[in-house]
Amino acid sequence: MKRRREIVASLMREDEMILSIGSYPQLGSGDFLEPPHKANGQFSRSLFLPDEVINPHPRFHTLAGNIRERRGSKVRINMPVFHDLNTPRPFIDPSIPYDRSLFPGDKEAKEGAALPDHIYMDAMGFGMGCCCLQITLQAPNVDLARRLYDQLATVGAVMMSLSASSPIFRGYLADVDCRWNVIAAAVDDRTAEERGERPLAKDRFVIPKSRYGTIDTFLGSDDGLFKPEYNDLKLVYDHGIYRHLVNNDIDELLAKHVAHLFIRDPLVIFEELLDQDDSVSADHFENIQSTNWQNVRFKPPPPNSPIGWRVEFRPLEVQLTEFENAAFSVFTVLLARALLAFPDINFYIPVTKMDINMQRAHNRDAVFNERFYFRRSSPADGEDTVAELTANEIINGSAEFIGLVPIVQMYLDSISVEENVRRQIERYILFVRGRANGSIMTAAAWIRIFVRNHPAYKFDSVVSSEINYDLAVALDDIANGRRPAPELLGAGNTV
């Protein structure tokens, strides 16, 4: 991770810096680019984001345009504003150009797309301009990959709350700390019929969620822990694809998972990849798979490849320093190995409870203030197997649940680890413990405090260019070791 930063830094000018944060605070706010560009691009048609921010590869311009065209309108992203002492009530964003008439969709903000008391954004770039810490884990076989997929899905929300780093959007303090819902809304290509706003006429399904969200169904595995009642969400899936898979000896749970992916249309199709031999190429499958973005992703091996069965763990927000990113990465890998080593560990909760957890994890200071549905370790007779626990109880343990950290330490005790490696791992574990028990603050909390203590802040939720600049400098100083931040990294930890 350090080497990657060094490589990027070597290619930058003296007046440039690289910041590893969940969302750039002034993305889409005024003249946030150097040199400035006007927000008048044909692909996004955004009131705030110029097309110049889009990656020049044709895939990304096409994605931006196709999401808007398929949906039949621009995307609607509304994050609740943080009401500070001088924030107007209701908050009606004065920076929205309500009367622009460059594109037909310009009128949407005025017609209700921009909600009162919310920070309004209107383009895919606001979601894909966010950053995360994504970890891909390989399992020995398909059944263990299915186990990892199911069990890791349930811990995603609490892990995201520990990693929260996104409290500012489009130059305003938000009343959330995470980027997940921004991305979910930014790539929501569902039509009005698919969203349930009109009766089905042209489309096939009413789809409850964006194509970016929590999983809708568990896969089950041969560990014997899955029960049908855990899949308590009415699953929308392509029945023809399901029957085809079942008729070719794919089990019901996996067949429904794949058939569920295919309720979505492709977002980008390259002409040269239309005609493929599916026995030697997975391009057609990956076209759909890679644009279904969930909190975990189940990844079959590519044809004719030594790559095995993998699971992506996707909820974590990116961290400011290499130490933090390494700590979360190592902890996640060790938790996954513990899940593989100890087959009796069972984190199953109903899918709908997992959805609730993910929404709670967004809230300001969720790591301290929220409770998350989680499975008790040893429920008493007649006691519900699921309880509402704090992040601290889930991570560090309580009378209700043994704790993720103790599980990881049990795994470490069961294998041979060199003394110096174990010491470094314990530093990472101590950091994760601290985030959960409140002794180490999240980046979102640190950023919010910095803004509210800035002499130019008027307690009106506005993060001005001056505040943004000073914040960027402070974050860069922390990331490069020039500014000690034990409240963010923990005592004695460096970048």
Side-chain angles (χ1 to χ4, degrees), residues 166-186:
S166 308
I168 306 172
F169 296 101
R170 214 169 57 71
Y172 293 105
L173 278 176
D175 209 27
V176 296
D177 280 355
C178 298
R179 93 284 178 206
W180 189 268
N181 282 347
V182 173
I183 311 177

Side-chain angles (χ1 to χ4, degrees), residues 167-466:
I168 306 172
F169 296 101
R170 214 169 57 71
Y172 293 105
L173 278 176
D175 209 27
V176 296
D177 280 355
C178 298
R179 93 284 178 206
W180 189 268
N181 282 347
V182 173
I183 311 177
V187 296
D188 189 0
D189 70 326
R190 292 174 301 159
T191 67
E193 292 181 16
E194 289 171 332
R195 298 194 300 271
E197 297 170 4
R198 298 175 189 166
L200 285 176
K202 297 180 180 178
D203 295 305
R204 299 187 297 160
F205 309 105
V206 174
I207 304 175
K209 298 180 187 176
S210 165
R211 60 200 302 154
Y212 190 107
T214 48
I215 65 170
D216 290 329
T217 181
F218 291 118
L219 297 179
S221 69
D222 62 357
D223 61 14
L225 301 177
F226 172 79
K227 296 180 180 178
E229 57 260 36
Y230 300 146
N231 280 340
D232 64 336
L233 187 71
K234 185 177 180 181
L235 189 69
V236 182
Y237 61 96
D238 186 304
H239 288 257
I241 290 175
Y242 168 75
R243 286 192 299 271
H244 176 76
L245 292 170
V246 169
N247 290 340
N248 284 274
D249 299 324
I250 303 298
D251 66 87
E252 178 183 336
L253 288 172
L254 187 55
K256 283 187 176 179
H257 165 78
V258 174
H260 174 64
L261 296 178
F262 279 83
I263 65 174
R264 314 283 181 175
D265 283 345
L267 286 177
V268 177
I269 297 176
F270 294 103
E271 186 176 359
E272 62 271 21
L273 297 179
L274 273 176
D275 297 317
Q276 296 285 313
D277 181 351
D278 291 334
S279 66
V280 296
S281 170
D283 281 340
H284 288 157
F285 171 73
E286 289 298 337
N287 188 290
I288 294 293
Q289 160 95 331
S290 66
T291 54
N292 274 271
W293 299 280
Q294 273 91 46
N295 53 337
V296 286
R297 177 182 281 159
F298 183 70
K299 302 188 72 171
N304 304 312
S305 168
I307 297 173
W309 295 89
R310 295 148 295 150
V311 174
E312 290 178 3
F313 187 69
R314 305 171 58 84
L316 288 166
E317 304 244 310
V318 77
Q319 303 298 287
L320 182 62
T321 67
E322 279 71 38
F323 171 79
E324 297 165 278
N325 285 315
F328 279 120
S329 298
V330 169
F331 184 79
T332 302
V333 170
L334 291 174
L335 178 61
R337 292 188 178 182
L339 289 168
L340 297 179
F342 306 139
D344 57 336
I345 293 176
N346 182 2
F347 296 158
Y348 275 120
I349 60 174
V351 165
T352 54
K353 295 286 194 290
M354 192 164 49
D355 285 345
I356 295 170
N357 284 350
M358 207 62 173
Q359 294 312 308
R360 290 179 178 179
H362 279 85
N363 294 337
R364 176 165 45 92
D365 294 328
V367 68
F368 312 124
N369 299 328
E370 295 293 339
R371 288 182 173 269
F372 303 93
Y373 288 103
F374 212 79
R375 189 180 187 88
R376 288 184 166 100
S377 293
S378 301
D381 290 342
E383 190 175 36
D384 195 341
T385 57
V386 177
E388 291 183 76
L389 306 180
T390 65
N392 188 39
E393 290 171 324
I394 294 170
I395 298 297
N396 293 320
S398 67
E400 302 278 12
F401 175 63
I402 185 175
L404 299 184
V405 163
I407 287 173
V408 166
Q409 289 179 321
M410 286 169 52
Y411 170 72
L412 289 170
D413 291 341
S414 73
I415 62 174
S416 176
V417 183
E418 293 181 8
E419 185 178 346
N420 63 324
V421 174
R422 182 68 184 258
R423 282 199 302 270
Q424 182 61 39
I425 290 174
E426 289 296 339
R427 287 180 62 216
Y428 293 150
I429 291 176
L430 190 63
F431 167 78
V432 174
R433 274 192 183 277
R435 278 283 174 91
N437 66 29
S439 61
I440 301 174
M441 66 175 58
T442 64
W446 194 97
I447 290 170
R448 193 182 302 276
I449 290 171
F450 180 94
V451 170
R452 298 191 78 237
N453 286 331
H454 194 282
Y457 182 62
K458 299 177 181 178
F459 295 92
D460 57 357
S461 309
V462 176
V463 181
S464 65
S465 295
E466 178 185 354

